[in-house]
C-alpha cells in the first residue's frame, strides 16, 4: 500500500493548486490561519472532502499535503474524519475500512512531515446499540487502534447515528462510550450529548455530558492497566478479524490504486469520480521553473 501511496504522491506532486474561490475547502489557507492564531487541534483529513463534500480527489490531496506541512511546522495536531464513514456505512460490517483509512491518513501525514504525535486519527462508537455484545466489539475496535497507533492522540467520536431522542438511553450510550475512551486511552475524546437528534445542545445538556465524562474518567481511571483481554475471546478475535480485513483491503488497493478505490465507493459507500467534483479547474501542472522554498524549509524544521 505504501508503494501505491507513493505513486499517488508522485502524481499529485506534479501539480499545484491555484486559489479559485468557493471551489474547495481551502485547507492550506485555513491551516495558515490556525497556525497564526496558535490553535492546538485542527480537522485535516485526506479523504473527507472527497467523500462528503464532493471536492475533487486530486484537488483535495494537493491541498491536504501542503496544509499538513503547515500544521506539522506549527505544531498543530490534526484530526481525521473516519468516524463519518460510519454514518453512511454499517459500523460492524465496515469497521475494517476505518482502520484502512487510518493507515492511509497516517502515511500521507508522514509524507508531509507530520509526526505520529500530531496525528489524531479518527474512529467512532457507532454500532447499533441493540447489537448483542456490541460494547465488546466497540472496545475491541478502540483497543486495536490504540495498540496499532501507540503514539497518536486518537480522535474518538461519540454515538450519533443511533441516538433517537430518548435522552435516558442516549445518556447511557454516552456513558458506555466514555468508559471505552478511558479504558483504551483515547487522546481526543469528543463528548456525546443526551439531546443528540433533538436540538442543538443547551448549556445544561453540555454540563450533563461533562459531568458524565468526569465521573467515569475519575471512577475508572486505571481500568486499562488492571484488565487483560482473554486469549481467543470475543474482543481479541474481533480485533484480529478487523485487522485481517483491513490488510486484505489495502493489498487489493495496492494493485488498483487509491483513486480507483475511491471511484468504487470502498470508503463510506460513497463513489466519487477521479475527474469529477469541485475544484479540479483550480489544479494545474507545475511549470518548468516552479519553485516553492517553504515546503522543504517547513518539513525540515522540527
Amino acid at each position: 500500500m505504501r508503494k501505491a501511496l507513493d505513486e499517488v504522491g508522485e502524481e499529485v506532486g506534479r501539480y499545484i493548486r491555484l486559489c479559485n474561490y468557493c471551489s474547495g475547502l481551502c485547507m492550506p489557507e485555513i491551516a495558515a490561519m490556525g497556525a497564526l492564531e496558535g490553535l492546538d487541534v485542527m480537522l485535516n483529513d485526506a479523504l473527507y472532502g472527497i467523500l462528503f463534500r464532493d471536492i475533487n480527489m486530486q484537488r483535495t490531496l494537493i491541498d491536504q499535503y501542503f496544509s499538513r506541512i503547515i500544521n506539522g511546522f506549527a505544531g498543530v495536531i490534526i484530526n481525521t474524519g473516519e468516524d463519518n464513514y460510519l454514518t453512511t456505512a454499517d459500523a460492524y460490517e465496515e469497521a475494517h475500512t476505518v482502520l484502512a483509512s487510518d493507515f492511509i491518513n497516517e502515511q500521507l501525514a508522514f509524507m508531509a512531515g507530520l509526526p505520529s504525535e500530531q496525528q489524531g486519527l479518527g474512529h467512532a462508537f457507532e454500532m447499533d446499540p441493540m447489537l448483542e455484545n456490541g460494547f465488546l466489539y466497540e472496545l475491541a475496535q478502540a483497543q486495536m487502534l490504540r495498540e496499532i497507533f501507540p503514539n497518536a492522540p486518537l480522535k474518538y467520536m461519540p454515538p450519533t447515528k443511533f441516538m433517537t431522542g430518548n435522552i435516558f438511553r442516549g445518556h447511557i450510550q454516552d456513558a458506555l462510550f466514555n468508559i471505552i475512551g478511558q479504558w483504551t486511552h483515547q487522546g481526543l475524546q469528543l463528548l456525546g450529548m443526551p439531546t443528540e437528534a433533538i436540538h442543538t445542545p443547551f448549556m445544561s445538556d453540555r454540563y450533563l455530558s461533562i459531568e458524565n465524562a468526569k465521573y467515569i474518567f475519575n471512577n475508572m481511571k486505571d481500568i486499562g492497566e488492571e484488565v487483560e483481554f482473554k486469549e481467543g475471546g470475543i474482543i481479541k478475535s474481533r480485533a484480529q478479524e478487523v485487522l485481517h480485513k483491513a490488510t486484505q483491503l489495502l493489498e487489493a488497493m495496492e494493485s488498483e490504486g487509491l483513486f480507483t478505490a475511491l471511484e468504487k465507493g470502498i470508503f463510506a459507500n460513497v463513489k466519487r469520480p477521479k475527474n469529477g467534483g469541485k475544484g479540479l479547474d483550480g489544479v494545474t501542472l507545475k511549470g518548468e521553473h516552479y519553485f516553492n522554498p517553504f515546503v522543504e524549509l517547513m518539513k525540515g524544521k522540527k
Side-chain angles (χ1 to χ4, degrees):
M1 188 60 208
R2 178 57 191 268
K3 178 183 175 184
L5 288 174
D6 284 341
E7 291 172 355
V8 168
E10 184 177 340
E11 179 178 351
V12 168
R14 295 171 56 229
Y15 295 86
I16 181 174
R17 191 265 288 172
L18 303 177
C19 184
N20 53 332
Y21 185 66
C22 288
S23 66
L25 295 178
C26 301
M27 289 191 287
E29 290 86 347
I30 294 171
M33 288 189 289
L36 290 170
E37 293 297 330
L39 293 189
D40 297 312
V41 182
M42 179 179 294
L43 175 64
N44 187 300
D45 184 272
L47 305 181
Y48 178 88
I50 300 167
L51 298 171
F52 297 101
R53 294 293 179 265
D54 195 22
I55 310 300
N56 175 264
M57 58 183 74
Q58 298 172 75
R59 167 66 178 261
T60 296
L61 289 170
I62 292 170
D63 273 10
Q64 72 84 25
Y65 174 67
F66 192 48
S67 64
R68 288 182 177 194
I69 290 175
I70 297 170
N71 285 325
F73 178 78
V76 177
I77 295 172
I78 68 165
N79 64 75
T80 62
E82 282 80 9
D83 53 282
N84 292 281
Y85 298 2
L86 305 181
T87 62
T88 55
D90 182 77
Y92 180 83
E93 297 294 337
E94 301 299 326
H96 63 289
T97 65
V98 171
L99 177 57
S101 181
D102 281 325
F103 278 127
I104 291 170
N105 256 310
E106 178 191 48
Q107 289 303 313
L108 291 173
F110 284 150
M111 289 179 187
L114 200 73
S116 296
E117 291 76 12
Q118 287 176 242
Q119 298 177 28
L121 302 172
H123 65 122
F125 184 101
E126 285 285 23
M127 291 185 196
D128 186 338
M130 297 298 105
L131 176 66
E132 186 175 281
N133 285 321
F135 178 83
L136 300 186
Y137 298 135
E138 295 280 19
L139 178 56
Q141 188 86 356
Q143 181 64 28
M144 175 192 66
L145 282 163
R146 173 40 67 213
E147 292 184 16
I148 292 173
F149 306 106
N151 298 318
L154 301 175
K155 184 196 76 171
Y156 195 30
M157 292 291 284
T160 58
K161 185 176 182 179
F162 292 99
M163 297 290 272
T164 64
N166 179 341
I167 60 172
F168 302 105
R169 192 183 82 171
H171 210 41
I172 295 172
Q173 288 173 253
D174 289 335
L176 294 178
F177 160 76
N178 288 331
I179 289 170
I180 291 179
Q182 180 63 26
W183 194 328
T184 61
H185 305 294
Q186 301 297 311
L188 301 169
Q189 178 142 342
L190 284 77
L191 299 186
M193 299 290 159
T195 51
E196 178 79 37
I198 301 176
H199 57 69
T200 301
F202 300 132
M203 291 300 292
S204 56
D205 304 329
R206 298 174 190 273
Y207 173 79
L208 289 173
S209 296
I210 293 171
E211 186 181 58
N212 180 323
K214 288 177 69 176
Y215 168 62
I216 289 169
F217 292 172
N218 179 66
N219 204 252
M220 305 184 74
K221 183 176 183 294
D222 294 315
I223 188 171
E225 282 68 48
E226 291 294 315
V227 179
E228 297 180 351
F229 299 110
K230 177 183 175 182
E231 196 65 44
I234 292 174
I235 293 171
K236 280 199 170 185
S237 297
R238 171 61 180 173
Q240 290 166 0
E241 176 192 4
V242 173
L243 179 58
H244 177 66
K245 286 184 176 181
T247 302
Q248 287 183 315
L249 174 59
L250 292 172
E251 287 174 346
M253 290 176 63
E254 179 74 26
S255 59
E256 66 183 14
L258 177 60
F259 290 164
T260 300
L262 290 168
E263 288 187 314
K264 289 182 176 181
I266 294 296
F267 299 107
N269 293 332
V270 176
K271 297 179 180 180
R272 297 298 186 198
K274 179 180 177 180
N275 295 317
K278 308 180 187 75
L280 183 58
D281 56 343
V283 175
T284 187
L285 190 67
K286 289 179 180 177
E288 180 183 353
H289 302 293
Y290 171 80
F291 175 64
N292 183 346
F294 298 103
V295 172
E296 294 309 318
L297 286 171
M298 286 182 166
K299 288 175 68 175
K301 184 174 181 180
K302 295 297 175 190

